[in-house]
Amino acid sequence: MSRRSGILEFAVLGLLREAPMHGYELRKRLNTSLGIFRAFSYGTLYPCLKTLVANGWLIEETGSAPEDALAASLAGRRAKIVYRLTAEGKQRFEELLSHTGPDSWEDEHFAARFAFFGQTEREVRMRVLEGRRSRLEERLEKMRASLARTRERLDDYTLELQRHGMESVEREVRWLNELIESERAGRDRRESPSDGAAQQGNTSGAADGLPRRQDGEPSGPATSPDPSDGTDK
């Protein structure tokens, strides 16, 4: 299984854990909720769905109601196939959700993992965030070294592009630092009995592990660096 197909499998299982869907609904959710899948087509999604069905992780159901299937039959159309997660599929998704290896730190896989952080254990979130931060710090060091070596040979526009890439990585590192500190603060409050009353009086804080703005809303993700910039190669 390729890395991209593994990401797609994870995302499909995660979305179907929320509710059964047919193929069009799934593709729409992948495009709107998980923007990293905008380039995926039906020709990519349906083979993935067939594989998940063959593995016993999904089942196919015809239509959402008997009258829907009848209407489709009378109109000479195929009834919509609805995909539902099986118990085995739920177990498979939970296994993938607990994975914290290097793949979960990469650009596309991290974005998919972050989208399902609400269903992820706190300790797993911490390991993924810390791994992602470590990966980006390594990338940033390489970018700085590359820029130092080639600065004199770059024209002004290429130099600005290099700086823009570095700034994007630096912003994400700062964002990750905020998330990690919020996760740690939430864990400390949970583990400290003396803080119980204070925690009950502050339910609008970082209980979900997300840093908060002054208006109480969670801070949004920083703009991810373009993985195609090639500066970390």
Side-chain angles (χ1 to χ4, degrees), residues 105-107 128-146 165-166 168-178 180-181 184 225 231-232:
W105 312 336
E106 301 298 339
D107 294 331
V128 173
L129 290 172
E130 289 173 342
R132 174 65 175 174
R133 181 176 63 180
S134 176
R135 179 59 51 85
L136 289 183
E137 287 173 342
E138 293 174 2
R139 181 182 301 177
L140 193 57
E141 183 178 350
K142 291 179 181 178
M143 294 172 73
R144 288 168 175 162
S146 175
M166 289 177 56
S168 297
V169 178
E170 288 169 346
R171 282 195 300 270
E172 186 171 352
V173 170
R174 289 194 296 269
W175 173 65
L176 289 166
N177 286 335
E178 293 176 0
I180 291 168
E181 288 305 312
R184 286 175 177 164
T231 54
D232 60 334

Side-chain angles (χ1 to χ4, degrees), residues 3-222:
R3 178 177 296 175
R4 285 181 70 84
S5 62
I7 300 169
L8 183 58
E9 172 192 312
F10 171 81
V12 167
L13 292 175
L15 290 175
L16 290 177
R17 188 182 184 184
E18 300 173 4
M21 302 180 201
H22 54 71
Y24 175 78
E25 291 174 313
L26 267 173
R27 186 168 183 263
K28 185 177 179 180
R29 288 291 305 277
L30 288 168
N31 289 342
T32 57
S33 301
L34 304 173
I36 59 172
F37 294 103
R38 289 193 182 97
F40 278 85
S41 64
Y42 285 110
T44 303
L45 176 59
Y46 280 99
C48 175
L49 290 170
K50 294 299 182 183
T51 298
L52 297 179
V53 170
N55 288 339
W57 298 332
L58 303 181
I59 57 173
E60 296 178 329
E61 299 175 342
T62 304
S64 57
E67 55 268 24
D68 294 337
L70 178 60
S73 177
L74 293 175
R77 295 182 284 104
R78 294 179 59 186
K80 290 181 179 179
I81 300 298
V82 175
Y83 296 90
R84 183 184 299 274
L85 197 66
T86 64
E88 293 79 6
K90 182 179 179 181
Q91 181 178 358
R92 171 61 176 171
F93 177 68
E94 290 174 350
E95 291 173 357
L96 295 173
L97 205 62
S98 66
H99 177 65
T100 59
D103 283 352
S104 64
W105 312 336
E106 301 298 339
D107 294 331
E108 290 184 342
H109 208 156
F110 174 76
R113 288 299 304 270
F114 192 84
F116 293 100
F117 259 24
Q119 304 177 44
T120 306
E121 294 292 333
R122 185 185 298 271
E123 294 304 317
V124 174
R125 294 198 303 262
M126 282 288 291
R127 289 195 293 270
V128 173
L129 290 172
E130 289 173 342
R132 174 65 175 174
R133 181 176 63 180
S134 176
R135 179 59 51 85
L136 289 183
E137 287 173 342
E138 293 174 2
R139 181 182 301 177
L140 193 57
E141 183 178 350
K142 291 179 181 178
M143 294 172 73
R144 288 168 175 162
S146 175
L147 184 60
R149 289 194 307 268
T150 61
R151 181 187 299 271
E152 300 301 325
R153 301 195 300 272
L154 299 177
D155 60 62
D156 290 342
Y157 297 103
T158 304
L159 184 60
E160 284 303 312
L161 184 62
Q162 297 283 336
R163 288 173 175 166
H164 174 70
M166 289 177 56
E167 289 172 359
S168 297
V169 178
E170 288 169 346
R171 282 195 300 270
E172 186 171 352
V173 170
R174 289 194 296 269
W175 173 65
L176 289 166
N177 286 335
E178 293 176 0
L179 288 171
I180 291 168
E181 288 305 312
S182 294
E183 292 284 356
R184 286 175 177 164
R187 180 185 60 192
D188 292 343
R189 286 196 303 271
R190 181 186 63 183
E191 293 177 352
S192 176
S194 62
D195 291 343
Q199 185 173 358
Q200 290 178 1
N202 187 29
T203 55
S204 63
D208 55 3
L210 293 176
R212 299 283 173 168
R213 301 197 304 260
Q214 292 181 354
D215 59 5
E217 294 297 323
S219 298

